[in-house]
Amino acid sequence: MKILVLSRAAVGPRMASPGVRAYQLAGALSRALPEAEITLAIPGDRGEVAPPGRTVRIQPYATNADAVFLAGQHDVAISRNFPPQFIRLMGKTRLALDGFTPLFIEWMELSERDILPKWRRTWMASNRWYLNMQLTMADFIFCADDRQRDLWIGMMMALDLVPPSVYARDPSLRQYIDVVPYGVPSQPLRPKGPVLKGVVPGIGPGDRVLLWNGGITEWNDTGTLLRAMALLAARRPEVKLVFMGVNHPDFAFGPNAGVTRQTIELAEELGLRGRTVFFLEGWVPYAEIDSYLAEADASVCLGYENLEARFAFRTRYVDLFRARVPLLCTRGDVLAERVEREPLGLTVAERDVEAVAAGIERLLDDEPFRERCRENLGRVAAELSWDAAVRPLVDFCLRDRSVALPARQRQLRALVRGGMYVGLKKACKSPPLHL
């Protein structure tokens, strides 16, 4: 069996969650299917990275045509999104769509940053047709949790991809769409030495580090966090907030983009930058993340209780679970519910500056509570190992058929939906405003 994991995001020394997920899925598949030939296709050469598994071959590609050629040489192709050219492979190469991100909702947020108001509706319409095409092409879909699964099933039903014939073959639809969470490596943390305390100017060896693990996106509420840090600055000068990187490897977010720029400007306006709040330039290399996690006393991620949160699976939380770092987060997403229930840290209502400040202090000072959270975090991390998470995808690869509608029935619909996407994309004349 030949399996292609097609990453549409950067894979290399520096990579964000989509690239990490493709990288780790390829490794987990190689361990579960040792006789299979696994290819991890990566967009361009972003620097040398070790293969994630003994039987995994890393293959750079430059164009969509290259990706189609690679996929045509494999029995199964797995990707977060397929270019329209993959329609020709339907019925030949089985296509598995990774729906771990609610892309349409994220694009809705980004449209306010990147697209001129008069073109926003056209841009979002093109994205809707793009997702419709993806769902139509897929022989199997997997996502991060059951809440996301419900979202995708609703869309599939609206697209007439679950007619009576499909339902009769599998009334649970688990063979058509299932859950593959964002996972964690099974090995314990392997820090290589100090990287923050006593290393970054302004952060002393005895300071308490509060880590923002990941980039700053349009759906993050950094303003509330910075105002909470301003409240703490006078009475808790040893508490330091560190943003782990401001240059996203996929160029989606950077120091001049939207909320990232606003966050840096507000930190300067409040007199916090370089004193209480620190922005690490670039992006922390994947191989060095353990060192940063090991120095964190607590972590924080704030957002809003909105539609994005409803269907989000905060991938940045998962490494914190593995590192057993207690977390402060906003209520609303599925992992925040676990943080509150188990507990793995503390949750707060959106935009509540005083609650955030109080929560930070409790996470740092309440040692019995911290220890309880750490024990629970270790247990949750064990549940989310990549080798356990990947099982539904392994099962799909081992099946010799798809329960989806026959490829020939879906192919014409995919062509129409792909054509609408291309047409509307060309019709949208707004450049990305943050570049």
Side-chain angles (χ1 to χ4, degrees):
M1 180 188 300
K2 295 183 177 181
I3 301 172
L4 176 72
V5 179
L6 176 70
S7 178
R8 305 290 279 167
V11 173
R14 290 171 172 81
M15 46 187 169
S17 57
V20 171
R21 183 164 166 93
Y23 180 84
Q24 292 290 358
L25 284 176
L29 286 168
S30 73
R31 293 187 292 275
L33 300 168
E35 303 304 317
E37 296 179 29
I38 313 288
T39 301
L40 173 60
I42 63 175
D45 186 357
R46 301 296 291 273
E48 188 173 345
V49 61
R54 183 177 55 83
T55 61
V56 178
R57 175 177 68 101
I58 296 180
Q59 175 65 54
Y61 69 94
T63 65
N64 287 339
D66 294 340
V68 172
F69 177 76
L70 275 171
Q73 298 176 313
H74 291 76
D75 302 300
V76 177
I78 301 162
S79 184
R80 187 186 185 205
N81 55 304
F82 297 105
Q85 293 91 332
F86 270 65
I87 293 172
R88 74 183 71 164
L89 297 177
M90 293 175 67
K92 302 171 185 176
T93 299
R94 288 187 294 148
L95 305 179
L97 177 67
D98 186 355
F100 85 103
T101 300
L103 289 171
F104 192 81
I105 300 170
E106 290 193 358
W107 288 332
M108 194 83 76
E109 296 274 349
L110 293 177
S111 71
E112 296 194 23
R113 181 194 74 180
D114 283 354
I115 306 299
L116 290 168
K118 69 177 181 178
W119 293 109
R120 211 165 279 159
R121 186 171 180 179
T122 303
W123 191 73
M124 287 306 302
S126 74
N127 289 332
R128 184 177 68 253
W129 283 103
Y130 184 76
L131 284 181
N132 292 348
M133 178 190 71
Q134 302 292 321
L135 294 170
T136 306
M137 292 166 63
D139 295 289
F140 179 67
I141 301 160
F142 57 101
C143 54
D145 58 54
D146 277 310
R147 188 180 293 180
Q148 286 187 359
R149 183 172 181 265
D150 290 342
L151 173 69
W152 292 121
I153 288 174
M155 293 180 67
M156 292 159 65
M157 287 183 168
L159 292 171
D160 193 28
L161 295 173
V162 190
S165 59
V166 170
Y167 184 78
R169 284 194 286 273
D170 178 18
S172 74
L173 289 187
R174 288 287 174 185
Q175 293 181 57
Y176 196 176
I177 175 167
D178 210 340
V179 172
V180 176
Y182 193 95
V184 297
S186 299
Q187 70 267 20
L189 284 189
R190 296 174 179 173
K192 298 176 181 177
V195 289
L196 294 171
K197 297 179 180 181
V199 177
V200 174
I203 303 179
D207 284 344
R208 311 293 299 280
V209 168
L210 187 65
L211 199 64
W212 180 279
N213 179 33
I216 305 170
T217 70
E218 306 309 299
W219 40 93
N220 291 140
D221 178 13
T222 51
T224 295
L225 176 58
L226 292 181
R227 290 179 176 88
M229 292 302 297
L231 288 181
L232 293 173
R235 67 176 185 266
R236 301 298 297 265
E238 80 283 6
V239 178
K240 312 293 186 181
L241 170 63
V242 177
F243 289 89
M244 279 181 64
V246 294
N247 290 90
H248 197 282
D250 299 314
F251 310 109
F253 309 95
N256 297 316
V259 175
T260 307
R261 182 186 68 251
Q262 295 166 19
T263 301
I264 294 171
E265 291 173 351
L266 181 59
E268 292 174 346
E269 179 185 325
L270 295 173
L272 301 175
R273 187 176 186 184
R275 183 170 66 91
T276 300
V277 176
F278 300 83
F279 299 90
L280 302 185
E281 301 213 0
W283 194 262
V284 172
Y286 186 61
E288 298 175 18
I289 286 176
D290 283 6
S291 298
Y292 290 82
L293 295 169
E295 287 192 50
D297 295 283
S299 183
V300 63
C301 180
L302 301 183
Y304 306 98
E305 297 179 50
N306 59 9
L307 192 61
E308 187 279 331
R310 173 69 185 168
F311 294 105
F313 187 94
R314 306 286 186 209
T315 56
R316 66 182 71 206
Y317 293 2
V318 179
D319 273 335
L320 301 170
F321 297 169
R322 170 173 167 256
R324 300 174 67 188
V325 177
L327 172 68
L328 176 74
C329 61
T330 311
R331 299 182 189 120
D333 64 86
V334 69
L335 288 182
E337 291 180 359
R338 293 200 74 170
V339 170
E340 184 171 32
R341 180 176 66 244
E342 306 214 8
L344 310 174
L346 296 170
T347 63
V348 293
E350 63 176 357
R351 308 176 200 267
D352 191 333
V353 174
E354 293 187 358
V356 171
I360 290 170
E361 289 192 289
R362 185 181 179 197
L363 282 186
L364 296 176
D365 298 341
D366 188 340
E367 194 56 41
F369 180 72
R370 281 173 54 82
E371 188 55 36
R372 182 182 171 200
C373 291
R374 286 173 57 81
E375 290 177 5
N376 293 335
L377 286 160
R379 173 180 49 76
V380 173
E383 295 174 12
L384 291 174
S385 74
W386 283 110
D387 291 334
V390 79
R391 285 308 315 177
L393 185 56
V394 171
D395 292 342
F396 166 73
C397 292
L398 291 174
R399 288 194 293 271
D400 59 1
R401 64 183 182 86
S402 168
V403 302
L405 283 169
R408 290 182 64 183
Q409 290 186 34
R410 289 181 283 127
Q411 201 161 28
L412 178 58
R413 301 184 201 180
L415 283 167
V416 171
R417 289 161 182 167
M420 290 295 296
Y421 154 66
V422 172
L424 286 165
K425 184 178 180 181
K426 289 182 177 179
C428 181
K429 302 300 184 183
S430 176
L433 299 180
H434 81 276
L435 295 179

